[in-house]
Amino acid sequence: MRLKSLAITAAMTLAAGAAHAQYTDGVIKIGVLNDQSGLYADVSGPGGTWAAKQAVEDFGAAKKGMKVEVVFGDHQNKPDVGSNIARQWYDVDHVDMIVDVPTSSVALAINQITKEKNKVFLASGPATADLTGPQCSPNTVHWTYDTWALANGTGKAIVQTGGKSWFFITADYAFGHALERDTKAVVEANGGKVVGAVRAPFPGTDFSSFLLQAQASKAQIIGLANAGGDTINSIKQAAEFGIVEGGQKLAGMLMFISDVHALGLKTAQGLNFTTAWYWDANDANRAFAKQFAAANGGKMPTMVQAGIYSAVTHYLKAVEALKSDADGAKVVAEMKKLPTEDKLFGKGMIREDGRHMHDMYLVEVKKPSESKGPWDYLTIKKTIPANEAFRPLKDGGCPLVKS
């Protein structure tokens, strides 16, 4: 009789726990929104969807009784397309959280819609530091990198080693403008000067006229305030014009391991850039990269894809702690309350402005003779501690920050 009583008590306890968890529609639904087939497809794309799904699996959601579904959409790098998908997901498809969203103009739109709908936006792909500045939101966390971190990592290092005069080739949309702005501030603060800049259509294929203007400026450094395919095309065409051979240097202000792979070491060797993550930095990263490569045609993961994994992992921890995904602002508040820790980004935290804090790395592309095998492309030159890597909290202008 006592055994039967214990069994009934246990069953009631489990039922109470399940009833207490308020997951909307009984499902925690995650939407990966990015460029699935265009300019930034290698940066996040299908690999980003895989990373989100892997985070759910590694978290053990099913074993914990958490039903999690991952869907994906292609915003085509267009704010209107991304906005339509987000509204459909939030209003009709019951998506609780959107993750990734490369292309800052799309991300800023998703940021606003997410706040209106009181959902969650975890930004891994976009760069604009405005997401934790004037446009900060109680529903958004900016995870992987931003324009301030890129400027202060790469820009500062180049100026301090003699690259004093700069000319920018800038992608003509929110991301490019923010990256040029933040890098210019760093260059000037460290005794350098910007002698000129030109805005290039986004996306672009022919950068010849812009490169010729940069070459004619005689600037020591040509700062490429663009990304993905635009950066790759800029560097390839600069090589055709003999710009580096002529004594000027290129600064890829936002580069990814996928860009280096597309360029090849012969063309990319010697480039310095800042990254949040590198697949060959430690055993945990290498193990993840091996899994990723097996599922993604032999490619190594970018920092954006690693950031998606990390962000989704922490989101699930917060939802589990709250036993609810219903109120986006409350979920983000819980994410800020809990310290972050996962196998790819280690220990960190989320500031009140929504900035995820972690170390960044200044890297240099290896010479072909230095590479020991496929995807062995980078040397870590410097670890930039989190409190130096990102903009000071007081300087961002985020309305959420108490003065």
Side-chain angles (χ1 to χ4, degrees), residues 62-357:
K63 292 179 181 178
K64 296 177 180 182
M66 300 166 69
K67 186 177 180 183
V68 183
E69 183 180 347
V70 177
V71 297
F72 67 89
D74 186 348
H75 62 43
Q76 301 172 41
N77 301 311
K78 298 175 181 177
D80 58 336
V81 174
S83 296
N84 289 337
I85 293 171
R87 292 188 186 281
Q88 168 75 22
W89 277 358
Y90 288 153
D91 293 340
V92 180
D93 300 332
H94 307 293
V95 167
D96 302 294
M97 181 269 275
I98 290 177
V99 66
D100 195 15
V101 197
T103 312
S104 293
S105 53
V106 184
L108 289 168
I110 301 306
N111 181 57
Q112 185 60 40
I113 294 168
T114 301
K115 184 179 179 181
E116 290 172 7
K117 304 296 182 181
N118 194 24
K119 301 291 187 175
V120 176
F121 173 31
L122 305 183
S124 184
T128 179
D130 289 352
L131 285 169
T132 54
Q135 302 300 318
C136 73
S137 161
N139 298 76
T140 294
V141 178
H142 201 178
W143 204 268
T144 307
Y145 69 103
D146 61 33
T147 51
W148 197 97
L150 298 174
N152 279 268
T154 310
K156 187 175 182 179
I158 291 173
V159 176
Q160 289 180 342
T161 54
K164 297 292 187 179
S165 61
W166 287 62
F167 185 100
F168 287 100
I169 296 176
T170 302
D172 194 12
Y173 76 106
F175 149 68
H177 300 169
L179 187 51
E180 180 189 323
R181 175 198 68 202
D182 291 346
T183 307
K184 180 181 179 181
V186 170
V187 168
E188 292 176 346
N190 286 273
K193 63 178 180 179
V194 175
V195 299
V198 64
R199 301 283 169 85
F202 168 79
T205 54
D206 184 2
F207 293 87
S208 56
S209 65
F210 311 121
L211 287 163
L212 287 172
Q213 289 179 62
Q215 190 175 40
S217 76
K218 306 296 184 183
Q220 293 169 293
I221 308 296
I222 300 172
L224 302 176
N226 52 21
D230 282 356
T231 301
I232 292 167
N233 287 331
S234 297
I235 294 172
K236 284 182 175 178
Q237 289 167 29
E240 293 170 6
F241 285 114
I243 286 176
V244 175
E245 291 175 3
Q248 292 173 294
K249 293 184 178 180
L250 302 175
M253 298 310 302
L254 174 55
M255 290 194 67
F256 303 93
I257 190 74
S258 52
D259 300 334
V260 178
H261 183 73
L263 287 165
L265 292 183
K266 185 177 179 181
T267 300
Q269 61 181 311
L271 281 170
N272 285 266
F273 62 94
T274 304
T275 187
W277 188 87
Y278 178 45
W279 76 268
D280 202 20
N282 56 51
D283 288 343
N285 289 6
R286 282 187 282 272
F288 176 78
K290 185 177 180 181
Q291 275 185 297
F292 183 96
N296 291 278
K299 298 175 183 177
M300 289 294 123
T302 66
M303 65 170 169
V304 171
Q305 291 155 340
I308 292 168
Y309 178 96
S310 178
V312 170
T313 298
H314 193 63
Y315 169 77
L316 293 173
K317 288 179 183 178
V319 169
E320 181 186 28
L322 283 176
K323 296 183 170 59
S324 174
D325 63 354
D327 187 322
K330 286 185 178 179
V331 173
V332 170
E334 186 69 17
M335 292 179 72
K336 292 176 181 178
K337 177 182 170 183
L338 297 171
T340 64
E341 183 173 6
D342 64 83
K343 66 183 183 181
L344 299 187
F345 277 70
K347 295 182 179 181
M349 54 85 71
I350 300 169
R351 292 192 316 201
E352 57 190 290
D353 62 350
R355 174 70 260 166
H356 181 240
M357 300 297 288

